[in-house]
């Protein structure tokens, strides 16, 4: 249905004379304008055949699941766990709307966190805390070197 208005919260008259109010938030409208439409990004020849498209979706789901599981395994082990998990979500987002919505939400939250981190007060606080932490680490290393020299902890004989 075409309401005849692109404005948020605008009232439009429908064909039968009744009024309809658009309840789209500004942020959602902005997101819809800036980002690609939701839905499958499978090639057209795949979308044209139902069984082929279903097989395509199953394959995308399995590949994405394998990547996400690998990312979850990397969380406690060495490796870029979160990056791999979001890579798996990106694979799923090529085919599934729910994954596209999760990625949009994640991107929005990361952008908001970036903007908060660029706030001068937050930057000043972070610089102060980092400096204090570095001074504490330097003091601990200095005491260790003063007491034991440049000897590795597992080679120290007298304590």
């Amino acid at each position: 249905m075409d309401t005849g208005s692109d404005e948020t919260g605008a009232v439009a008259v429908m064909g039968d004379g009744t009024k309809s109010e658009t309840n789209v938030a500004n942020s959602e409208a902005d997101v819809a304008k800036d980002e690609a439409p939701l839905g499958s990004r499978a090639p057209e020849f795949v979308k044209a055949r139902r069984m082929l498209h279903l097989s395509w979706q199953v394959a995308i789901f399995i590949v994405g699941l394998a990547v996400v599981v690998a990312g979850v395994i990397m969380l406690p082990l060495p490796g870029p766990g979160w990056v791999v998990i979001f890579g798996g979500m990106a694979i799923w987002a090529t085919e599934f709307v729910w994954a596209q919505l999760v990625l949009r939400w994640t991107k929005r939250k990361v952008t908001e966190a970036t903007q908060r981190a660029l706030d001068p007060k937050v930057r000043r606080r972070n610089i102060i805390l980092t400096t204090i932490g570095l001074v504490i680490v330097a003091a601990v290393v200095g005491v260790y070197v003063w007491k034991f020299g440049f000897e590795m902890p597992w080679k120290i004989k007298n304590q």
Side-chain angles (χ1 to χ4, degrees), residues 41 60 63-64 67-68 82-96 98-100 102-103 107:
R41 292 188 178 94
I60 293 293
V63 170
V67 172
V68 168
W82 285 110
V83 174
V84 174
I85 288 172
F86 288 120
M89 290 297 296
I91 291 171
W92 279 339
T94 63
E95 197 58 38
F96 302 108
W98 60 267
Q100 293 168 0
V102 168
L103 281 179
K107 287 178 186 176

Side-chain angles (χ1 to χ4, degrees), residues 11-22:
V11 177
V13 178
M14 295 172 50
D16 58 355
T18 61
K19 292 184 178 181
S20 170
E21 186 170 331
T22 307

